[in-house]
Amino acid sequence: QVQLVESGGGLVQAGGSLRLSCGASGRTFSSYAMGWFRQAPGKERDFVAAISWSGGTWYADSVKGRFTISRDNAKNTVYLQMNSLKPEDTAVYYCAANRGAYSVMRGSYDYWGQGTQVTVSS
């Protein structure tokens, strides 16, 4: 069992930056692929970024060049650095853990955090 807790959300102006963190319980964190998803009001939960256990990364086209996912296995933490934020980035951001390989499909993830709100004002 893995428990995930996100932090770092908040209100920021367009063009600003935020860094989200996701702390994980459990001794096998380093073997999990980790992902970030987001859900805006009235919309589905969409893939944002993923990182494999070995550090390979993947991004949604909408965030490429602006967001960076990283992990610190010693701290059981995955991060999402978000730069050049836009109002359309406003959403609840969720961290997720996958016992298998990385995936862009939310159904592939086994564990989810409770989410953290990111609001970008214009």
Side-chain angles (χ1 to χ4, degrees), residues 29-32 34 52-55 71-77:
F29 171 79
S30 61
S31 67
Y32 283 75
M34 300 297 295
S52 70
W53 63 270
S54 60
R71 66 190 299 160
D72 184 338
N73 289 335
K75 295 183 178 180
N76 278 16
T77 302

Side-chain angles (χ1 to χ4, degrees), residues 7-85:
S7 61
L11 174 63
V12 64
Q13 288 188 331
S17 298
L18 282 174
R19 188 176 82 154
L20 306 183
S21 299
C22 174
S25 65
R27 292 176 290 178
T28 58
F29 171 79
S30 61
S31 67
Y32 283 75
M34 300 297 295
W36 286 97
F37 289 74
R38 65 187 181 185
Q39 188 168 18
K43 296 189 176 181
E44 292 190 346
R45 191 171 298 187
D46 292 331
F47 171 76
V48 175
I51 186 166
S52 70
W53 63 270
S54 60
T57 58
W58 293 265
Y59 298 93
D61 287 344
S62 59
V63 306
K64 272 181 189 174
R66 300 188 299 122
F67 290 12
T68 302
I69 189 172
S70 61
R71 66 190 299 160
D72 184 338
N73 289 335
K75 295 183 178 180
N76 278 16
T77 302
V78 62
Y79 304 98
L80 186 68
Q81 178 66 45
M82 305 186 294
N83 299 328
S84 302
L85 282 161

